[in-house]
Amino acid sequence: MSATYGNLFQITIFGESHSNAIGVVLDGLPSGIAVDFDKIKTEMARRAPGKNKLSTPRSESDVPQIQSGIFNGKTTGTPVCAIISNTNTRSQDYQPELLRPSHADYSGIVRYHGFNDYRGGGHFSGRLTAPLVFAGAIAKQVLEKEQIEVLAHIKNIGSVCDAALDYAAPDVELLRKIKSETLPLLDRAKAAVMENEILAAKSEADSVGGAVEAVVIGLKPGMGSPFFESVESRIAQILFSVPAVKAVEFGIGTSFSQMRGSQANDPFYIQNGEIKTKTNHNGGINGGITNGMPVVVTAAIKPTPSIGKPQETVNIKEMKESTYSTHGRHDPCIVQRAVPVIEAALAVAVLDMLLEEKTYAGTI
Amino acid sequence: MSATYGNLFQITIFGESHSNAIGVVLDGLPSGIAVDFDKIKTEMARRAPGKNKLSTPRSESDVPQIQSGIFNGKTTGTPVCAIISNTNTRSQDYQPELLRPSHADYSGIVRYHGFNDYRGGGHFSGRLTAPLVFAGAIAKQVLEKEQIEVLAHIKNIGSVCDAALDYAAPDVELLRKIKSETLPLLDRAKAAVMENEILAAKSEADSVGGAVEAVVIGLKPGMGSPFFESVESRIAQILFSVPAVKAVEFGIGTSFSQMRGSQANDPFYIQNGEIKTKTNHNGGINGGITNGMPVVVTAAIKPTPSIGKPQETVNIKEMKESTYSTHGRHDPCIVQRAVPVIEAALAVAVLDMLLEEKTYAGTI
Amino acid sequence: MSATYGNLFQITIFGESHSNAIGVVLDGLPSGIAVDFDKIKTEMARRAPGKNKLSTPRSESDVPQIQSGIFNGKTTGTPVCAIISNTNTRSQDYQPELLRPSHADYSGIVRYHGFNDYRGGGHFSGRLTAPLVFAGAIAKQVLEKEQIEVLAHIKNIGSVCDAALDYAAPDVELLRKIKSETLPLLDRAKAAVMENEILAAKSEADSVGGAVEAVVIGLKPGMGSPFFESVESRIAQILFSVPAVKAVEFGIGTSFSQMRGSQANDPFYIQNGEIKTKTNHNGGINGGITNGMPVVVTAAIKPTPSIGKPQETVNIKEMKESTYSTHGRHDPCIVQRAVPVIEAALAVAVLDMLLEEKTYAGTI
Amino acid sequence: MSATYGNLFQITIFGESHSNAIGVVLDGLPSGIAVDFDKIKTEMARRAPGKNKLSTPRSESDVPQIQSGIFNGKTTGTPVCAIISNTNTRSQDYQPELLRPSHADYSGIVRYHGFNDYRGGGHFSGRLTAPLVFAGAIAKQVLEKEQIEVLAHIKNIGSVCDAALDYAAPDVELLRKIKSETLPLLDRAKAAVMENEILAAKSEADSVGGAVEAVVIGLKPGMGSPFFESVESRIAQILFSVPAVKAVEFGIGTSFSQMRGSQANDPFYIQNGEIKTKTNHNGGINGGITNGMPVVVTAAIKPTPSIGKPQETVNIKEMKESTYSTHGRHDPCIVQRAVPVIEAALAVAVLDMLLEEKTYAGTI
């Protein structure tokens, strides 16, 4: 618990990798939003596996089937449910007693007293991010109407880093353009090097981690609250539910810890009659509240724990030490597929906060 | 919103730096807990300012006055309210129109339409962490009964780092011992260097950031949930409400992004009939659920924005660019004072999750 | 908002009368519960229409299709999603501009800015109680393991009343037995009279209201909380979401307002070493907390607003006064079909509170 | 749990009858509301005891002391905390082992494992409604700005009924005028009879119950949601937390159960270009959503269980049957004092829903 996120725009996620379907319920959507299904398809495709040698060959059509909440192509305002069938499931021999290191096998067995669906990772599967991307795709369409956009790039994969994002003035055009790339990078020249980093890991039956840096454009100042629902709190809550995310940073994040105040502070100035900051180290948030600058957040993605290399583990049934290597389909790197997921999670959080903002932004 | 955190153990915080009082309501505490007021006093004192040259000279007695919920020295099980009077408030001339860079002045003015109490930072003041420490002090006493302990040290201040914590087998005795230190460090030899780092910043009318690394000992495996209330989500939500926290990492956190799976994965083994991991890169959490290893979390604390150095800013009343330097009392470094605050926030989150665990840990 | 009910056992409902499907997500179920699908079928059948001349001839198979959360016949502990297809939908000419009196047509149009799915009542349709009955059927199976049972009878339909229930010692055997009746009554002799009451309304193209009285057996004392989650608050919240419920009473309910304390108070006594009350006017709840006596609650069900008789109304498109009479399929009385719905809602509320009770019932 | 009510306007209540203080935290208030303290005082006085022979002689000054959230006489938008000191507490000999029938003594002892503060009823005391009245007094001032008013009268005390309220066109002027009466009645002629009803109970060392009928004027159509936060659900949740409330009815409430649809339905018509209903049996709510007519709700108040007459009970310490009669100060009737409490609870619920309405009322 809780499978539900959000205060006013609430999403409820369900499903296991090999259950009949995975899906999501979206509650609190404004009514009358014309849903662009092509855009949803595009977002789903960005996350989908099986497209190239960088990801798992498991191929899923991943078409969200709308059960409710959309009528004549528009949101009704009542809950939207979409399910995505699990079709390409392999009936293989699972050995749930062999705990896969750094996966949720052990913690899941204890949590659910051994009754969890272990097939394909069950409810812990990265596949559960598909309904999240659907939710995000809808949320983005609502945000668009208020000129708010969520964009992202790969900050690094292993030791290969993309060019630095300008936090105070991100290149929005470029960020939009790279959305369709397999490796969305500000510096296209890094694509080949990064691909090699992934393929090198793959060739060694290994995997590699990375980081996704995302930016929210168009947020007005004054959104959020100090305790306990700071913009950082709300965003971090959902990002830390995305499998494999192990660190969340706002603005320059961990780098703050090595800085002086005089370096870190963002000086205010006036631009076209609006208050802006010259730098944006704080990632657009002061005191938990937006200051009108782009919101910048980075999520560290751990290398997928599924690797071909043999690993030490425990057979929990026999309570004996053992070894394990992944033989099934898996990704050498999930960072590029995580980009639309992080965007989606952000979009969901931002829409929720935006709705809440309507309750205090106006004058009563 | 929301001033309330938690599902089952709920804390509600209130107050401004110069209002009559600050305080907190604790709901959902187990009944019959004998409250040790000396321990509360000790925790409050760890956070309190004015003790040495490393922090602001504002001296507050910070004695929480219990209004309700404790009877005959024990928790009743109904809400505990404690208030802390604001006594040492200076009646100085505030210039709320001069936006202090990287403080919440601007975002706060927009958020609250200019009606927020600006004196001493108002509701955004670090002073609001005092009731949080009180809440944590109570939570710790409940956790203690279940052999759960929250411990922390300063990971670094500026460029000065403490010795590395052994995530798989932290030195609990040492961590307990350093609680009473001004600079709680694993390597005592670093204390003088670190103090100099702070004093150097102070002497230049500047401030310096740092990081606090905390560990939760004694958690059984199986606590938490994948979506959307992973252990990471719940902890990050409250940590990101602590003023100045800009990054939260679990286990090795951001370092995951540069690693291979074979390096990052934590191999399972059996120790005294229990399943353990050899390393603890994941910080005791897999799939959002505890795995029985110590939970390790790091919070990056930005340098306090209040510095004596002149900074560029905007006079929002006149909508003109201007300069600002802090003249009042302020801390050159808040990292050491943040240690008990981070511990307290963690204790609150852990107690809340622990209560929830009771609903799924047993067999129905 | 919110389509989600509950703190620990959370149900999220979705669907419209003529959308692809209606359904529900159940989160927080204990893992390892063997699901008895026959029992679910029985509960669904109790609510289903089209069985006799007392209800609408719309016939729905209403088979909940499990999408997730059940593996090898047992709950996994992760969210269960069930959908029920909308198959028997008539493609008739709807006139949403003619506001049906006492239905949600007008309030719904304003609430959703005219984008709500009006076909068959859309999200407001009584059909949405089918997923609620599914949720209740699962909840009941969990409650059963703790010897808790939810039972109900028709208190009255129009002017025809059933025999009085003994609040302090309800006839549990009888209540179990009447579950399968079309009109579940304590006094079987009343069935024919009551049926006539319904058929009389039907013959006059009219409908008739009634009340359902439910009892929860097996609850231990000490469940619930004074503010703001009294047992009454939690149960009333969900009951008042059931379409057509307009009053909720606990114990003798409204009758309290005409009584003296000396008549109303429930004297305590000891029975087999346990504290009991001689009468149970308070319906098993004192101060918002169970006292170990049966919890008794009554829900008043208004006559279904769909009647054949012509009614005065407004054509909202033309903003002209007009008349309306229901021509489609509808129920002359929904009270008998509401019995399993009220039971289900109660079961959901009780399971949620029961899980919460585990957090304070034990000693920490 | 939970001591907190509300989604956007959240109130958190604390205190025991004889603890240092009782109080409340209000979160989510709009900023910039000029607080009229005289109006607060008036509301507090309406509830306060000790004013006449109809209520307990315990006299409390009941002055809410503002701790935070109000600056320069206006709400800051951050949490308001107010505490009310418990001054007039008698140091009498309590016998918590003698369970007072129909009070929360027994259920409370079990719920809190005997650690609850039993003095004066502790957290269950009707005294806890004082902070609720404070919260309501603030909420009313916000509602006033949107031309929304909460008004109430005594529907009946024992067998003495007030004149009927016209649900479709309540006499607002009259309802405002009677606010200051000891017994707020539409028909002043009933005051003496009703007073006699109370005094008769008093003279027999007994108490008497009653009902409060309240009306909310000025709500636009379109507020609320079908599942699970219908207007009825939200209001009932808070009303059923008010001690002694045992039934909640909307519109004609329980009377619906005896009616035909043709009688019960509220016909629509057009008045001055607005859609209205001729009758208002539904109490302004259809499908859980306001329809623009006055919201009408009735709360049944049980006779206060504290009576001088001897009652059968149990001595829980000795587990022996015993007798009990109240000797301390108590009210023969609490209905008249409940009027401002019911209004306050309603105002809190309505403000919360009104804030939420802002998230869906506009076009995105």
Side-chain angles (χ1 to χ4, degrees):
Chain A
M1 313 156 235
S2 160
T4 302
Y5 172 87
N7 292 340
L8 291 162
F9 173 51
Q10 296 188 310
I11 72 168
T12 302
I13 221 158
F14 58 86
E16 283 103 13
S17 186
H18 291 216
S19 69
N20 192 56
I22 55 177
V24 66
V25 182
L26 314 181
D27 187 33
L29 276 173
S31 53
I33 301 287
V35 180
D36 184 330
F37 288 94
D38 284 338
K39 284 189 181 167
I40 294 173
K41 208 172 156 183
T42 303
E43 292 292 323
M44 299 303 288
R46 289 174 72 202
R47 193 212 70 94
K51 293 174 305 188
N52 54 52
K53 58 194 168 181
L54 302 182
S55 69
T56 167
R58 173 173 173 172
S59 173
E60 295 274 4
S61 56
D62 281 359
V63 181
Q65 297 150 350
I66 307 298
Q67 303 302 310
S68 65
I70 297 179
F71 178 50
N72 292 334
K74 289 182 177 159
T75 55
T76 57
T78 55
V80 170
C81 176
I83 67 171
I84 301 167
S85 295
N86 287 322
T87 51
N88 189 5
T89 52
R90 279 208 204 163
S91 57
Q92 65 185 74
D93 289 334
Y94 283 97
Q95 294 183 286
E97 63 274 15
L98 274 184
L99 306 173
R100 294 171 303 155
S102 293
H103 269 295
D105 294 0
Y106 174 54
S107 54
I109 283 173
V110 180
R111 170 67 172 83
Y112 299 109
H113 305 280
F115 294 105
N116 54 313
D117 182 350
Y118 48 78
R119 299 167 303 166
H123 188 60
F124 296 98
S125 168
R127 185 155 170 67
L128 266 286
T129 57
L132 193 53
V133 168
F134 170 80
I138 298 273
K140 281 176 177 179
Q141 297 186 26
V142 184
L143 294 176
E144 220 170 62
K145 297 200 169 294
E146 309 226 4
Q147 280 79 49
I148 296 166
E149 232 173 317
V150 180
L151 301 157
H153 74 121
I154 297 174
K155 191 174 187 178
N156 72 286
I157 286 180
S159 59
V160 185
C161 297
D162 189 13
L165 183 75
D166 182 342
Y167 289 0
D171 186 339
V172 175
E173 279 309 313
L174 179 59
L175 284 162
R176 280 178 194 149
K177 223 174 78 184
I178 64 178
K179 276 200 174 229
S180 54
E181 306 279 337
T182 303
L183 296 174
L185 293 165
L186 300 174
D187 180 359
R188 173 172 277 193
K190 293 290 177 68
V193 202
M194 208 172 257
E195 191 173 321
N196 284 341
E197 182 90 353
I198 299 172
L199 295 176
K202 189 182 184 180
S203 71
E204 294 172 41
D206 211 339
S207 65
V208 62
V212 175
E213 189 170 62
V215 64
V216 188
I217 304 293
L219 291 174
K220 298 203 188 90
M223 186 179 84
S225 293
F227 296 95
F228 290 94
E229 299 205 325
S230 70
V231 174
E232 292 107 326
S233 290
R234 298 280 280 265
I235 290 175
Q237 189 199 339
I238 193 165
L239 288 185
F240 274 123
S241 290
V242 174
V245 170
K246 295 297 283 189
V248 170
E249 305 173 80
F250 291 89
I252 58 168
T254 57
S255 301
F256 272 118
S257 84
Q258 275 139 22
M259 287 173 91
R260 289 282 183 87
S262 57
Q263 302 168 291
N265 288 354
D266 297 311
F268 285 111
Y269 75 110
I270 296 176
Q271 188 191 50
N272 304 326
E274 292 199 335
I275 294 169
K276 300 278 174 195
T277 63
K278 291 195 174 173
T279 51
N280 184 20
H281 298 139
N282 281 282
I285 309 164
N286 290 139
I289 297 168
T290 56
N291 64 11
M293 298 299 292
V295 164
V296 183
V297 57
T298 302
I301 315 286
K302 72 176 185 181
T304 173
S306 297
I307 56 175
K309 284 195 175 173
Q311 302 176 74
E312 298 169 68
T313 189
V314 164
N315 180 318
I316 195 174
K317 210 169 158 187
E318 304 174 356
M319 273 306 275
K320 279 191 185 157
E321 295 183 356
S322 180
T323 57
Y324 175 81
S325 15
T326 307
H327 292 298
R329 303 167 296 186
H330 61 89
D331 299 81
C333 182
I334 51 169
V335 181
Q336 70 282 14
R337 291 181 58 204
V339 174
V341 177
I342 298 297
E343 283 181 20
L346 251 179
V348 167
V350 167
L351 177 53
D352 186 32
M353 289 187 282
L354 193 73
L355 291 175
E356 192 166 331
E357 194 191 17
K358 292 183 184 299
T359 69
Y360 53 73
T363 324
I364 213 157
Chain B
M1 312 154 238
S2 159
T4 302
Y5 171 87
N7 293 339
L8 292 162
F9 173 52
Q10 297 188 310
I11 72 168
T12 301
I13 220 159
F14 58 85
E16 284 102 14
S17 187
H18 292 215
S19 68
N20 192 54
I22 54 177
V24 66
V25 182
L26 314 181
D27 188 32
L29 276 173
S31 53
I33 302 287
V35 179
D36 184 330
F37 287 94
D38 284 337
K39 285 189 181 168
I40 294 173
K41 208 172 156 182
T42 303
E43 292 292 324
M44 298 303 288
R46 290 174 72 203
R47 193 210 72 92
K51 294 174 305 187
N52 54 52
K53 58 193 169 185
L54 303 181
S55 68
T56 169
R58 172 172 173 173
S59 174
E60 294 275 3
S61 55
D62 280 359
V63 181
Q65 297 149 350
I66 307 296
Q67 302 302 312
S68 65
I70 297 179
F71 178 50
N72 291 335
K74 289 181 177 160
T75 56
T76 58
T78 54
V80 170
C81 176
I83 67 172
I84 301 167
S85 295
N86 286 322
T87 51
N88 189 4
T89 52
R90 279 209 204 164
S91 57
Q92 65 186 77
D93 289 334
Y94 283 97
Q95 293 183 286
E97 63 275 15
L98 273 185
L99 306 174
R100 293 170 303 156
S102 292
H103 269 296
D105 294 359
Y106 174 54
S107 53
I109 283 173
V110 180
R111 170 67 172 83
Y112 300 109
H113 305 281
F115 294 105
N116 54 312
D117 182 350
Y118 49 77
R119 298 167 303 165
H123 189 60
F124 296 98
S125 168
R127 184 153 171 69
L128 266 286
T129 58
L132 193 53
V133 168
F134 170 80
I138 298 272
K140 281 177 177 179
Q141 296 186 27
V142 184
L143 294 176
E144 220 171 62
K145 297 201 168 296
E146 309 226 5
Q147 280 78 50
I148 296 166
E149 232 172 316
V150 180
L151 301 157
H153 74 121
I154 297 173
K155 192 174 186 178
N156 72 286
I157 286 179
S159 59
V160 185
C161 298
D162 190 12
L165 183 75
D166 182 343
Y167 289 179
D171 187 339
V172 175
E173 280 310 312
L174 179 58
L175 284 161
R176 280 177 194 149
K177 226 174 76 183
I178 64 178
K179 277 200 174 227
S180 53
E181 305 279 337
T182 303
L183 296 173
L185 293 165
L186 301 174
D187 181 359
R188 172 172 277 193
K190 294 289 176 66
V193 203
M194 208 171 257
E195 192 173 320
N196 285 339
E197 183 90 355
I198 299 171
L199 295 177
K202 190 183 183 180
S203 71
E204 294 172 40
D206 211 338
S207 65
V208 62
V212 175
E213 189 169 62
V215 64
V216 188
I217 305 292
L219 291 174
K220 298 205 189 88
M223 186 180 85
S225 292
F227 296 95
F228 290 94
E229 299 204 326
S230 70
V231 174
E232 291 106 325
S233 290
R234 298 279 281 264
I235 290 175
Q237 189 199 336
I238 192 165
L239 288 185
F240 274 123
S241 290
V242 174
V245 170
K246 295 297 284 189
V248 170
E249 306 174 78
F250 291 89
I252 58 169
T254 56
S255 301
F256 272 118
S257 84
Q258 274 138 23
M259 287 172 93
R260 288 283 182 86
S262 57
Q263 302 168 290
N265 288 355
D266 297 311
F268 286 110
Y269 75 109
I270 296 175
Q271 188 191 51
N272 303 326
E274 292 199 334
I275 294 169
K276 300 278 174 195
T277 63
K278 291 196 174 173
T279 52
N280 184 19
H281 298 139
N282 281 281
I285 309 164
N286 290 139
I289 297 168
T290 56
N291 65 11
M293 297 299 291
V295 164
V296 183
V297 58
T298 302
I301 314 285
K302 72 176 185 181
T304 174
S306 297
I307 56 175
K309 285 194 174 174
Q311 302 176 74
E312 300 170 66
T313 190
V314 164
N315 181 317
I316 195 173
K317 212 169 156 187
E318 305 174 357
M319 274 307 273
K320 280 192 185 156
E321 296 184 356
S322 179
T323 57
Y324 175 81
S325 15
T326 308
H327 292 298
R329 303 167 295 185
H330 62 90
D331 299 82
C333 182
I334 52 169
V335 181
Q336 71 281 14
R337 292 182 58 204
V339 173
V341 177
I342 298 298
E343 283 181 21
L346 250 178
V348 167
V350 167
L351 177 53
D352 186 33
M353 290 187 282
L354 193 75
L355 291 175
E356 191 165 331
E357 194 191 17
K358 292 182 184 298
T359 69
Y360 54 73
T363 324
I364 213 157
Chain C
M1 311 160 240
S2 159
T4 302
Y5 171 87
N7 293 340
L8 292 162
F9 173 51
Q10 296 187 311
I11 73 168
T12 302
I13 221 159
F14 58 86
E16 284 103 14
S17 186
H18 291 216
S19 69
N20 193 55
I22 55 177
V24 66
V25 183
L26 315 181
D27 188 32
L29 277 173
S31 53
I33 302 287
V35 179
D36 184 328
F37 287 95
D38 285 338
K39 284 188 180 167
I40 294 173
K41 209 171 155 183
T42 303
E43 293 291 324
M44 299 303 288
R46 290 175 71 203
R47 193 210 72 93
K51 294 175 306 187
N52 53 53
K53 58 194 169 184
L54 303 181
S55 67
T56 168
R58 174 172 172 172
S59 173
E60 295 274 3
S61 56
D62 280 0
V63 181
Q65 297 150 351
I66 308 297
Q67 303 301 311
S68 65
I70 296 179
F71 178 49
N72 291 336
K74 288 180 177 160
T75 56
T76 58
T78 55
V80 170
C81 176
I83 67 172
I84 301 168
S85 295
N86 287 324
T87 51
N88 189 4
T89 52
R90 278 208 204 163
S91 55
Q92 65 187 79
D93 289 335
Y94 282 97
Q95 294 183 286
E97 63 274 16
L98 274 185
L99 306 174
R100 294 172 302 156
S102 292
H103 269 296
D105 294 0
Y106 174 55
S107 54
I109 283 174
V110 180
R111 170 68 174 81
Y112 300 109
H113 305 280
F115 295 105
N116 54 311
D117 183 350
Y118 49 78
R119 299 168 302 166
H123 190 60
F124 295 97
S125 168
R127 185 155 169 67
L128 266 287
T129 57
L132 193 55
V133 168
F134 170 80
I138 297 273
K140 281 177 177 179
Q141 296 186 27
V142 184
L143 293 176
E144 219 171 63
K145 296 199 170 297
E146 309 226 6
Q147 280 78 50
I148 296 166
E149 232 172 317
V150 181
L151 301 157
H153 74 121
I154 296 174
K155 192 173 186 178
N156 71 287
I157 286 180
S159 58
V160 184
C161 298
D162 190 13
L165 183 75
D166 183 341
Y167 290 180
D171 186 339
V172 175
E173 280 311 311
L174 178 59
L175 284 162
R176 281 178 193 148
K177 225 175 75 184
I178 64 178
K179 276 198 175 232
S180 52
E181 306 278 337
T182 303
L183 295 174
L185 293 165
L186 300 174
D187 180 359
R188 173 172 277 191
K190 294 291 177 65
V193 202
M194 208 172 256
E195 191 174 319
N196 284 340
E197 182 91 354
I198 299 172
L199 295 176
K202 190 181 184 182
S203 71
E204 295 172 40
D206 211 337
S207 64
V208 62
V212 175
E213 189 170 62
V215 64
V216 188
I217 305 293
L219 291 174
K220 296 202 190 90
M223 186 179 86
S225 292
F227 294 96
F228 289 95
E229 299 203 327
S230 69
V231 174
E232 291 106 326
S233 290
R234 298 280 280 264
I235 289 175
Q237 189 198 340
I238 192 165
L239 288 185
F240 274 123
S241 291
V242 174
V245 170
K246 295 297 284 188
V248 170
E249 305 174 78
F250 291 89
I252 57 167
T254 56
S255 301
F256 271 119
S257 83
Q258 275 138 23
M259 287 172 92
R260 288 283 182 88
S262 57
Q263 302 167 291
N265 288 355
D266 297 310
F268 286 110
Y269 74 110
I270 297 176
Q271 187 190 53
N272 302 325
E274 292 198 334
I275 295 169
K276 300 280 174 193
T277 63
K278 292 195 173 174
T279 51
N280 184 19
H281 298 139
N282 281 282
I285 309 164
N286 290 139
I289 297 168
T290 56
N291 64 12
M293 297 300 290
V295 164
V296 183
V297 58
T298 302
I301 314 286
K302 72 176 185 182
T304 174
S306 299
I307 55 176
K309 283 194 175 174
Q311 302 176 75
E312 298 170 67
T313 189
V314 163
N315 181 317
I316 196 174
K317 212 169 157 188
E318 305 175 356
M319 276 305 275
K320 279 190 184 157
E321 297 184 356
S322 180
T323 57
Y324 175 81
S325 17
T326 307
H327 291 298
R329 303 168 296 186
H330 61 90
D331 298 82
C333 181
I334 52 170
V335 181
Q336 72 281 15
R337 291 181 58 204
V339 174
V341 177
I342 298 298
E343 283 182 22
L346 251 178
V348 167
V350 168
L351 177 54
D352 186 33
M353 289 187 282
L354 193 74
L355 292 175
E356 191 166 331
E357 193 190 18
K358 293 182 184 298
T359 70
Y360 53 72
T363 325
I364 213 157
Chain D
M1 310 158 240
S2 163
T4 302
Y5 171 87
N7 293 340
L8 292 162
F9 173 52
Q10 297 187 310
I11 73 168
T12 302
I13 221 159
F14 58 86
E16 283 103 14
S17 186
H18 292 215
S19 69
N20 192 55
I22 55 177
V24 65
V25 183
L26 314 182
D27 189 32
L29 277 173
S31 52
I33 302 287
V35 179
D36 184 330
F37 287 95
D38 284 338
K39 285 188 180 167
I40 295 173
K41 208 171 156 184
T42 303
E43 292 292 324
M44 299 303 288
R46 290 175 72 204
R47 193 211 71 93
K51 293 175 304 186
N52 52 52
K53 57 194 170 181
L54 302 182
S55 68
T56 168
R58 173 172 173 172
S59 173
E60 295 275 3
S61 56
D62 280 0
V63 181
Q65 298 149 349
I66 308 298
Q67 303 301 311
S68 64
I70 297 178
F71 178 49
N72 292 335
K74 288 180 178 162
T75 56
T76 58
T78 55
V80 170
C81 176
I83 67 172
I84 301 167
S85 295
N86 287 323
T87 50
N88 188 5
T89 53
R90 277 208 205 164
S91 57
Q92 65 187 79
D93 289 334
Y94 283 98
Q95 293 182 286
E97 63 275 14
L98 273 185
L99 306 174
R100 294 172 302 157
S102 292
H103 269 295
D105 294 359
Y106 175 54
S107 54
I109 284 173
V110 180
R111 170 67 174 81
Y112 300 109
H113 305 280
F115 295 106
N116 54 313
D117 182 349
Y118 48 79
R119 298 169 302 166
H123 189 59
F124 296 98
S125 168
R127 184 153 170 69
L128 267 286
T129 57
L132 193 54
V133 169
F134 170 80
I138 298 273
K140 281 176 177 179
Q141 297 186 25
V142 183
L143 294 176
E144 219 172 63
K145 296 200 170 297
E146 310 226 4
Q147 280 78 50
I148 296 166
E149 230 172 318
V150 181
L151 301 157
H153 74 122
I154 296 174
K155 192 174 186 178
N156 71 286
I157 286 180
S159 58
V160 185
C161 298
D162 190 13
L165 184 74
D166 182 342
Y167 289 0
D171 186 340
V172 176
E173 279 310 312
L174 179 59
L175 284 162
R176 280 179 193 146
K177 225 174 77 184
I178 64 178
K179 276 200 175 229
S180 52
E181 306 278 336
T182 304
L183 296 173
L185 293 165
L186 300 174
D187 180 0
R188 175 172 274 192
K190 293 290 176 69
V193 202
M194 208 172 257
E195 192 173 319
N196 285 340
E197 182 91 353
I198 300 172
L199 294 177
K202 190 181 184 182
S203 71
E204 295 172 41
D206 211 338
S207 65
V208 62
V212 175
E213 189 171 61
V215 64
V216 189
I217 305 293
L219 291 174
K220 296 203 189 91
M223 185 180 86
S225 292
F227 294 97
F228 289 95
E229 299 203 327
S230 70
V231 173
E232 291 106 326
S233 290
R234 299 279 280 265
I235 289 175
Q237 189 198 338
I238 192 165
L239 288 185
F240 274 124
S241 290
V242 174
V245 171
K246 295 297 284 189
V248 170
E249 306 174 78
F250 291 90
I252 57 167
T254 56
S255 301
F256 273 118
S257 83
Q258 275 139 23
M259 286 171 93
R260 287 282 182 87
S262 57
Q263 302 167 291
N265 288 354
D266 297 311
F268 286 111
Y269 74 110
I270 296 176
Q271 187 191 51
N272 303 326
E274 293 198 335
I275 294 169
K276 300 280 174 194
T277 62
K278 292 196 172 173
T279 51
N280 184 20
H281 298 139
N282 281 282
I285 309 164
N286 289 140
I289 297 168
T290 55
N291 65 12
M293 297 299 291
V295 164
V296 183
V297 57
T298 303
I301 314 286
K302 72 176 185 182
T304 175
S306 297
I307 56 175
K309 283 194 175 175
Q311 302 177 75
E312 298 170 67
T313 190
V314 164
N315 181 317
I316 196 173
K317 211 169 158 190
E318 304 175 357
M319 275 306 274
K320 278 190 186 156
E321 297 184 355
S322 181
T323 56
Y324 176 80
S325 16
T326 307
H327 292 297
R329 302 168 295 186
H330 61 89
D331 299 82
C333 182
I334 52 170
V335 181
Q336 71 281 15
R337 292 181 57 205
V339 173
V341 177
I342 298 298
E343 282 181 21
L346 251 178
V348 167
V350 167
L351 177 55
D352 187 33
M353 290 187 282
L354 192 75
L355 291 174
E356 192 165 331
E357 194 191 17
K358 294 182 183 298
T359 70
Y360 53 73
T363 325
I364 213 157

